[in-house]
Amino acid sequence: MLLSKLDQSDTRPVIPLGHGDPSAFPCFRTTQIAEDAIVDSIRSAKFNGYGPTVGILPARRAVAEYLSQDLPNKLSPDDVFLTLGCTQAIQTIVTVLTNPKANILLPKPGFPYYEAIAKSCQLEVRHFDLLPDKDWEVDLDSVNALADENTVAMVIINPGNPCGNVFTHQHLQKVAETAKKLGILVISDEVYDHIAFGKNPFVPMATFASITPIITLGSISKRWIVPGWRLGWLVINDPNGILKQHGIIDCITAYLNISSDAPTFIQGAAPDILAKTKEDFFLKIVNIIKEDANICIEGIQDIPGIICPSKPEGSMFVMVKLDLSVFEDIKDDVDFCVKLAKEESVIILPGISVGLNNWLRVTFAIEPSVLEEGIKRLKKFCQRHSKKP
């Protein structure tokens, strides 16, 4: 909708601060190791046919080994299901957990795909709050108040989309203990795993799988900057065997039998991509994103009508609040974003699309010089629309 509002006569380049895909920018090009792995996979001619619906064994083993590096318990390939990006992993687990009376707890603000899939399955959605004044921690009182005997799971996204937060070890343990008390599992969306650049290191939720079952969702999309390659995973972290006992594993397998698979040649490249990528590539990407985060926050501080309650520490986003009393002709967040697109050729996502009215989600992971230009245009826009003294 916002793209349709752009002024076609504006010759300036459009600045995309609304979409978590920096792959178009040269500084975010993926590692040559990943590119070579794809070429080698195709040229081997070993991956031209159909693969098993749960994923080919070498790729599942590679994902298990990659994730096990950060976990107390080692994963086996049987714990890993490969999917067509992380979106299919979301679709799979939400569909599998649906039953006529069930409900699922989702974060507010959150990633809207969860709600869209739940509604398409007629699965009731209940929203718990993330607390902006506590670095977007889960409001565990809200989780306790919402859950009942029909609650099947709660979802967390860490590092956070749309908030740019990174949960502490201590907070994640409290989340696990709350889920155990309520008798529900935790779906942990870790598609931005290791994209952390603040005071808190990234801690995988599966660290606490001995407390309650954890289903980890992830992909190569964000850390390797290749969202178009569509390789994701759904991983079972359940050392106590609770999910197997309740037939959830069989249901996941059955669902994947009737849905699309990740391309076999991409799966064929996965072992080299996951095992051979050098740490300096990851470091370079995280450092650029950190530089972008600083540019964004420092720039926004001087802009009238925009308040940032919590500095981003991970992923590629920050949530900022609109103070509508500052503006003379801005009705709400959607009106703000429509006018910004039309007048300045800058795309920012209105907060209502992620569950928070009169906030904005700013994506800062783009070329730093382009981001600086975007912040300048945003400032000009806000000054122009501010009430005059």
Side-chain angles (χ1 to χ4, degrees), residues 256-291:
L256 290 173
N257 282 340
I258 57 164
S259 55
S260 304
D261 310 334
T264 318
F265 75 90
I266 304 277
Q267 295 185 47
D272 281 356
I273 293 172
L274 293 166
K276 292 185 178 177
T277 299
K278 303 281 192 293
E279 199 56 43
D280 60 356
F281 166 73
F282 296 133
L283 203 57
K284 183 193 86 166
I285 294 297
V286 169
N287 283 339
I288 297 169
I289 295 174
K290 183 178 183 177
E291 181 192 347

mmCIF file of all heavy atoms in Angstrom, residues 256-291:
data_model
loop_
_atom_site.group_PDB
_atom_site.id
_atom_site.type_symbol
_atom_site.label_atom_id
_atom_site.label_comp_id
_atom_site.label_asym_id
_atom_site.label_seq_id
_atom_site.Cartn_x
_atom_site.Cartn_y
_atom_site.Cartn_z
ATOM 1 N N LEU A 256 4.354 -32.019 6.662
ATOM 2 C CA LEU A 256 5.388 -31.768 5.648
ATOM 3 C C LEU A 256 5.228 -32.705 4.451
ATOM 4 O O LEU A 256 5.668 -32.379 3.343
ATOM 5 C CB LEU A 256 6.788 -31.892 6.269
ATOM 6 C CG LEU A 256 7.140 -30.760 7.252
ATOM 7 C CD1 LEU A 256 8.465 -31.057 7.957
ATOM 8 C CD2 LEU A 256 7.199 -29.407 6.559
ATOM 9 N N ASN A 257 4.583 -33.852 4.654
ATOM 10 C CA ASN A 257 4.313 -34.770 3.533
ATOM 11 C C ASN A 257 3.365 -34.164 2.501
ATOM 12 O O ASN A 257 3.343 -34.601 1.349
ATOM 13 C CB ASN A 257 3.712 -36.086 4.039
ATOM 14 C CG ASN A 257 4.758 -37.009 4.632
ATOM 15 O OD1 ASN A 257 5.948 -36.873 4.351
ATOM 16 N ND2 ASN A 257 4.321 -37.944 5.459
ATOM 17 N N ILE A 258 2.550 -33.180 2.923
ATOM 18 C CA ILE A 258 1.559 -32.614 1.989
ATOM 19 C C ILE A 258 1.853 -31.140 1.661
ATOM 20 O O ILE A 258 0.993 -30.436 1.166
ATOM 21 C CB ILE A 258 0.122 -32.755 2.545
ATOM 22 C CG1 ILE A 258 -0.020 -32.088 3.912
ATOM 23 C CG2 ILE A 258 -0.301 -34.219 2.607
ATOM 24 C CD1 ILE A 258 -1.456 -31.845 4.347
ATOM 25 N N SER A 259 3.073 -30.684 1.969
ATOM 26 C CA SER A 259 3.407 -29.291 1.642
ATOM 27 C C SER A 259 4.691 -29.241 0.816
ATOM 28 O O SER A 259 5.317 -30.274 0.566
ATOM 29 C CB SER A 259 3.528 -28.454 2.914
ATOM 30 O OG SER A 259 4.451 -29.018 3.804
ATOM 31 N N SER A 260 5.055 -28.061 0.385
ATOM 32 C CA SER A 260 6.229 -27.905 -0.495
ATOM 33 C C SER A 260 7.532 -28.087 0.286
ATOM 34 O O SER A 260 7.579 -27.875 1.489
ATOM 35 C CB SER A 260 6.221 -26.518 -1.128
ATOM 36 O OG SER A 260 5.015 -26.315 -1.822
ATOM 37 N N ASP A 261 8.594 -28.457 -0.436
ATOM 38 C CA ASP A 261 9.910 -28.668 0.190
ATOM 39 C C ASP A 261 10.872 -27.545 -0.198
ATOM 40 O O ASP A 261 10.737 -26.936 -1.261
ATOM 41 C CB ASP A 261 10.550 -29.985 -0.304
ATOM 42 C CG ASP A 261 9.606 -31.169 -0.201
ATOM 43 O OD1 ASP A 261 8.713 -31.116 0.652
ATOM 44 O OD2 ASP A 261 9.781 -32.121 -0.982
ATOM 45 N N ALA A 262 11.873 -27.335 0.656
ATOM 46 C CA ALA A 262 12.983 -26.451 0.265
ATOM 47 C C ALA A 262 13.690 -27.075 -0.937
ATOM 48 O O ALA A 262 13.827 -28.305 -1.006
ATOM 49 C CB ALA A 262 13.958 -26.306 1.429
ATOM 50 N N PRO A 263 14.153 -26.269 -1.913
ATOM 51 C CA PRO A 263 14.814 -26.833 -3.095
ATOM 52 C C PRO A 263 15.967 -27.760 -2.708
ATOM 53 O O PRO A 263 16.771 -27.435 -1.832
ATOM 54 C CB PRO A 263 15.324 -25.595 -3.838
ATOM 55 C CG PRO A 263 14.444 -24.484 -3.382
ATOM 56 C CD PRO A 263 14.089 -24.800 -1.967
ATOM 57 N N THR A 264 16.038 -28.908 -3.369
ATOM 58 C CA THR A 264 17.027 -29.921 -2.999
ATOM 59 C C THR A 264 18.456 -29.412 -3.156
ATOM 60 O O THR A 264 19.322 -29.708 -2.341
ATOM 61 C CB THR A 264 16.827 -31.201 -3.850
ATOM 62 O OG1 THR A 264 15.433 -31.474 -3.942
ATOM 63 C CG2 THR A 264 17.509 -32.395 -3.223
ATOM 64 N N PHE A 265 18.714 -28.600 -4.206
ATOM 65 C CA PHE A 265 20.101 -28.140 -4.404
ATOM 66 C C PHE A 265 20.522 -27.151 -3.314
ATOM 67 O O PHE A 265 21.702 -27.081 -2.970
ATOM 68 C CB PHE A 265 20.312 -27.571 -5.815
ATOM 69 C CG PHE A 265 19.735 -26.205 -6.065
ATOM 70 C CD1 PHE A 265 20.485 -25.062 -5.832
ATOM 71 C CD2 PHE A 265 18.433 -26.071 -6.552
ATOM 72 C CE1 PHE A 265 19.956 -23.808 -6.078
ATOM 73 C CE2 PHE A 265 17.894 -24.814 -6.789
ATOM 74 C CZ PHE A 265 18.655 -23.682 -6.547
ATOM 75 N N ILE A 266 19.563 -26.396 -2.756
ATOM 76 C CA ILE A 266 19.888 -25.504 -1.626
ATOM 77 C C ILE A 266 20.217 -26.358 -0.396
ATOM 78 O O ILE A 266 21.182 -26.096 0.329
ATOM 79 C CB ILE A 266 18.723 -24.547 -1.313
ATOM 80 C CG1 ILE A 266 18.312 -23.736 -2.545
ATOM 81 C CG2 ILE A 266 19.076 -23.632 -0.143
ATOM 82 C CD1 ILE A 266 19.109 -22.509 -2.836
ATOM 83 N N GLN A 267 19.416 -27.410 -0.183
ATOM 84 C CA GLN A 267 19.705 -28.329 0.924
ATOM 85 C C GLN A 267 21.082 -28.963 0.745
ATOM 86 O O GLN A 267 21.832 -29.142 1.710
ATOM 87 C CB GLN A 267 18.645 -29.424 0.987
ATOM 88 C CG GLN A 267 17.239 -28.951 1.324
ATOM 89 C CD GLN A 267 16.284 -30.121 1.472
ATOM 90 O OE1 GLN A 267 16.585 -31.111 2.154
ATOM 91 N NE2 GLN A 267 15.130 -30.044 0.820
ATOM 92 N N GLY A 268 21.411 -29.295 -0.504
ATOM 93 C CA GLY A 268 22.710 -29.914 -0.796
ATOM 94 C C GLY A 268 23.881 -29.008 -0.446
ATOM 95 O O GLY A 268 24.974 -29.485 -0.094
ATOM 96 N N ALA A 269 23.642 -27.693 -0.516
ATOM 97 C CA ALA A 269 24.696 -26.718 -0.191
ATOM 98 C C ALA A 269 24.784 -26.439 1.309
ATOM 99 O O ALA A 269 25.796 -25.885 1.777
ATOM 100 C CB ALA A 269 24.432 -25.408 -0.942
ATOM 101 N N ALA A 270 23.750 -26.809 2.060
ATOM 102 C CA ALA A 270 23.657 -26.421 3.480
ATOM 103 C C ALA A 270 24.860 -26.870 4.324
ATOM 104 O O ALA A 270 25.362 -26.076 5.136
ATOM 105 C CB ALA A 270 22.354 -26.922 4.090
ATOM 106 N N PRO A 271 25.367 -28.113 4.180
ATOM 107 C CA PRO A 271 26.496 -28.506 5.034
ATOM 108 C C PRO A 271 27.707 -27.571 4.902
ATOM 109 O O PRO A 271 28.300 -27.180 5.916
ATOM 110 C CB PRO A 271 26.820 -29.929 4.556
ATOM 111 C CG PRO A 271 25.499 -30.455 4.070
ATOM 112 C CD PRO A 271 24.845 -29.277 3.413
ATOM 113 N N ASP A 272 28.050 -27.187 3.668
ATOM 114 C CA ASP A 272 29.194 -26.279 3.486
ATOM 115 C C ASP A 272 28.875 -24.872 3.979
ATOM 116 O O ASP A 272 29.721 -24.208 4.588
ATOM 117 C CB ASP A 272 29.619 -26.229 2.011
ATOM 118 C CG ASP A 272 30.465 -27.443 1.618
ATOM 119 O OD1 ASP A 272 30.773 -28.265 2.510
ATOM 120 O OD2 ASP A 272 30.805 -27.562 0.432
ATOM 121 N N ILE A 273 27.656 -24.399 3.710
ATOM 122 C CA ILE A 273 27.275 -23.050 4.159
ATOM 123 C C ILE A 273 27.376 -22.960 5.681
ATOM 124 O O ILE A 273 27.967 -22.020 6.233
ATOM 125 C CB ILE A 273 25.839 -22.704 3.691
ATOM 126 C CG1 ILE A 273 25.779 -22.582 2.162
ATOM 127 C CG2 ILE A 273 25.355 -21.407 4.345
ATOM 128 C CD1 ILE A 273 24.370 -22.430 1.593
ATOM 129 N N LEU A 274 26.819 -23.947 6.372
ATOM 130 C CA LEU A 274 26.741 -23.895 7.834
ATOM 131 C C LEU A 274 28.084 -24.164 8.504
ATOM 132 O O LEU A 274 28.390 -23.579 9.546
ATOM 133 C CB LEU A 274 25.690 -24.879 8.343
ATOM 134 C CG LEU A 274 24.237 -24.532 7.979
ATOM 135 C CD1 LEU A 274 23.324 -25.718 8.222
ATOM 136 C CD2 LEU A 274 23.749 -23.335 8.764
ATOM 137 N N ALA A 275 28.875 -25.069 7.922
ATOM 138 C CA ALA A 275 30.124 -25.477 8.596
ATOM 139 C C ALA A 275 31.336 -24.649 8.196
ATOM 140 O O ALA A 275 32.280 -24.512 8.975
ATOM 141 C CB ALA A 275 30.396 -26.957 8.311
ATOM 142 N N LYS A 276 31.325 -24.089 6.987
ATOM 143 C CA LYS A 276 32.565 -23.477 6.478
ATOM 144 C C LYS A 276 32.583 -21.945 6.504
ATOM 145 O O LYS A 276 33.629 -21.345 6.260
ATOM 146 C CB LYS A 276 32.823 -23.962 5.044
ATOM 147 C CG LYS A 276 33.161 -25.452 4.978
ATOM 148 C CD LYS A 276 33.530 -25.868 3.566
ATOM 149 C CE LYS A 276 33.916 -27.344 3.512
ATOM 150 N NZ LYS A 276 34.218 -27.771 2.126
ATOM 151 N N THR A 277 31.431 -21.310 6.761
ATOM 152 C CA THR A 277 31.419 -19.846 6.797
ATOM 153 C C THR A 277 32.317 -19.350 7.929
ATOM 154 O O THR A 277 32.217 -19.824 9.058
ATOM 155 C CB THR A 277 29.984 -19.313 6.966
ATOM 156 O OG1 THR A 277 29.198 -19.750 5.853
ATOM 157 C CG2 THR A 277 29.966 -17.785 7.012
ATOM 158 N N LYS A 278 33.176 -18.386 7.591
ATOM 159 C CA LYS A 278 34.158 -17.887 8.566
ATOM 160 C C LYS A 278 33.514 -16.866 9.516
ATOM 161 O O LYS A 278 32.621 -16.112 9.129
ATOM 162 C CB LYS A 278 35.327 -17.204 7.838
ATOM 163 C CG LYS A 278 36.040 -18.097 6.822
ATOM 164 C CD LYS A 278 37.010 -19.053 7.513
ATOM 165 C CE LYS A 278 37.937 -19.739 6.532
ATOM 166 N NZ LYS A 278 37.268 -20.664 5.623
ATOM 167 N N GLU A 279 34.041 -16.834 10.724
ATOM 168 C CA GLU A 279 33.524 -15.919 11.752
ATOM 169 C C GLU A 279 33.669 -14.455 11.326
ATOM 170 O O GLU A 279 32.837 -13.615 11.686
ATOM 171 C CB GLU A 279 34.277 -16.167 13.075
ATOM 172 C CG GLU A 279 33.586 -15.638 14.305
ATOM 173 C CD GLU A 279 32.163 -16.144 14.518
ATOM 174 O OE1 GLU A 279 31.894 -17.349 14.335
ATOM 175 O OE2 GLU A 279 31.302 -15.303 14.859
ATOM 176 N N ASP A 280 34.702 -14.157 10.527
ATOM 177 C CA ASP A 280 34.895 -12.744 10.148
ATOM 178 C C ASP A 280 33.770 -12.222 9.258
ATOM 179 O O ASP A 280 33.456 -11.028 9.274
ATOM 180 C CB ASP A 280 36.275 -12.499 9.516
ATOM 181 C CG ASP A 280 36.518 -13.300 8.244
ATOM 182 O OD1 ASP A 280 35.648 -14.106 7.870
ATOM 183 O OD2 ASP A 280 37.584 -13.133 7.620
ATOM 184 N N PHE A 281 33.121 -13.105 8.484
ATOM 185 C CA PHE A 281 31.952 -12.677 7.697
ATOM 186 C C PHE A 281 30.824 -12.248 8.629
ATOM 187 O O PHE A 281 30.230 -11.177 8.471
ATOM 188 C CB PHE A 281 31.478 -13.795 6.758
ATOM 189 C CG PHE A 281 30.099 -13.541 6.190
ATOM 190 C CD1 PHE A 281 29.914 -12.582 5.212
ATOM 191 C CD2 PHE A 281 28.989 -14.233 6.665
ATOM 192 C CE1 PHE A 281 28.638 -12.314 4.701
ATOM 193 C CE2 PHE A 281 27.719 -13.976 6.164
ATOM 194 C CZ PHE A 281 27.544 -13.017 5.179
ATOM 195 N N PHE A 282 30.520 -13.107 9.622
ATOM 196 C CA PHE A 282 29.443 -12.777 10.569
ATOM 197 C C PHE A 282 29.749 -11.476 11.315
ATOM 198 O O PHE A 282 28.878 -10.637 11.512
ATOM 199 C CB PHE A 282 29.244 -13.907 11.583
ATOM 200 C CG PHE A 282 28.788 -15.206 10.985
ATOM 201 C CD1 PHE A 282 29.404 -16.403 11.346
ATOM 202 C CD2 PHE A 282 27.742 -15.251 10.082
ATOM 203 C CE1 PHE A 282 28.984 -17.612 10.808
ATOM 204 C CE2 PHE A 282 27.310 -16.453 9.535
ATOM 205 C CZ PHE A 282 27.940 -17.642 9.898
ATOM 206 N N LEU A 283 31.001 -11.342 11.710
ATOM 207 C CA LEU A 283 31.425 -10.153 12.459
ATOM 208 C C LEU A 283 31.245 -8.890 11.626
ATOM 209 O O LEU A 283 30.758 -7.857 12.113
ATOM 210 C CB LEU A 283 32.898 -10.326 12.860
ATOM 211 C CG LEU A 283 33.393 -9.530 14.050
ATOM 212 C CD1 LEU A 283 32.573 -9.821 15.299
ATOM 213 C CD2 LEU A 283 34.874 -9.845 14.319
ATOM 214 N N LYS A 284 31.613 -8.980 10.348
ATOM 215 C CA LYS A 284 31.485 -7.833 9.441
ATOM 216 C C LYS A 284 30.021 -7.401 9.333
ATOM 217 O O LYS A 284 29.691 -6.210 9.448
ATOM 218 C CB LYS A 284 32.034 -8.201 8.055
ATOM 219 C CG LYS A 284 32.004 -7.046 7.053
ATOM 220 C CD LYS A 284 32.249 -7.489 5.624
ATOM 221 C CE LYS A 284 30.943 -7.926 4.985
ATOM 222 N NZ LYS A 284 30.989 -8.072 3.531
ATOM 223 N N ILE A 285 29.131 -8.376 9.134
ATOM 224 C CA ILE A 285 27.699 -8.069 8.991
ATOM 225 C C ILE A 285 27.153 -7.442 10.269
ATOM 226 O O ILE A 285 26.454 -6.412 10.231
ATOM 227 C CB ILE A 285 26.902 -9.350 8.629
ATOM 228 C CG1 ILE A 285 27.299 -9.872 7.234
ATOM 229 C CG2 ILE A 285 25.392 -9.108 8.714
ATOM 230 C CD1 ILE A 285 27.012 -8.954 6.076
ATOM 231 N N VAL A 286 27.469 -8.040 11.421
ATOM 232 C CA VAL A 286 26.963 -7.513 12.701
ATOM 233 C C VAL A 286 27.512 -6.105 12.952
ATOM 234 O O VAL A 286 26.785 -5.231 13.440
ATOM 235 C CB VAL A 286 27.284 -8.475 13.868
ATOM 236 C CG1 VAL A 286 27.004 -7.815 15.213
ATOM 237 C CG2 VAL A 286 26.461 -9.754 13.740
ATOM 238 N N ASN A 287 28.760 -5.859 12.581
ATOM 239 C CA ASN A 287 29.343 -4.526 12.786
ATOM 240 C C ASN A 287 28.664 -3.468 11.922
ATOM 241 O O ASN A 287 28.450 -2.329 12.366
ATOM 242 C CB ASN A 287 30.853 -4.544 12.518
ATOM 243 C CG ASN A 287 31.621 -5.157 13.680
ATOM 244 O OD1 ASN A 287 31.115 -5.214 14.801
ATOM 245 N ND2 ASN A 287 32.834 -5.623 13.428
ATOM 246 N N ILE A 288 28.310 -3.832 10.687
ATOM 247 C CA ILE A 288 27.588 -2.873 9.830
ATOM 248 C C ILE A 288 26.211 -2.591 10.431
ATOM 249 O O ILE A 288 25.770 -1.434 10.497
ATOM 250 C CB ILE A 288 27.437 -3.402 8.377
ATOM 251 C CG1 ILE A 288 28.796 -3.592 7.709
ATOM 252 C CG2 ILE A 288 26.585 -2.429 7.539
ATOM 253 C CD1 ILE A 288 28.733 -4.359 6.389
ATOM 254 N N ILE A 289 25.532 -3.644 10.890
ATOM 255 C CA ILE A 289 24.195 -3.459 11.478
ATOM 256 C C ILE A 289 24.287 -2.611 12.752
ATOM 257 O O ILE A 289 23.445 -1.735 12.997
ATOM 258 C CB ILE A 289 23.518 -4.820 11.744
ATOM 259 C CG1 ILE A 289 23.250 -5.544 10.411
ATOM 260 C CG2 ILE A 289 22.220 -4.655 12.523
ATOM 261 C CD1 ILE A 289 22.720 -6.960 10.546
ATOM 262 N N LYS A 290 25.333 -2.842 13.534
ATOM 263 C CA LYS A 290 25.527 -2.033 14.755
ATOM 264 C C LYS A 290 25.767 -0.562 14.395
ATOM 265 O O LYS A 290 25.207 0.340 15.032
ATOM 266 C CB LYS A 290 26.724 -2.588 15.545
ATOM 267 C CG LYS A 290 26.963 -1.860 16.858
ATOM 268 C CD LYS A 290 28.126 -2.470 17.637
ATOM 269 C CE LYS A 290 28.299 -1.784 18.982
ATOM 270 N NZ LYS A 290 29.375 -2.400 19.780
ATOM 271 N N GLU A 291 26.594 -0.325 13.378
ATOM 272 C CA GLU A 291 26.837 1.053 12.914
ATOM 273 C C GLU A 291 25.526 1.698 12.470
ATOM 274 O O GLU A 291 25.216 2.850 12.813
ATOM 275 C CB GLU A 291 27.845 1.034 11.749
ATOM 276 C CG GLU A 291 28.176 2.417 11.201
ATOM 277 C CD GLU A 291 28.933 2.367 9.865
ATOM 278 O OE1 GLU A 291 29.424 1.285 9.473
ATOM 279 O OE2 GLU A 291 28.996 3.426 9.211
#
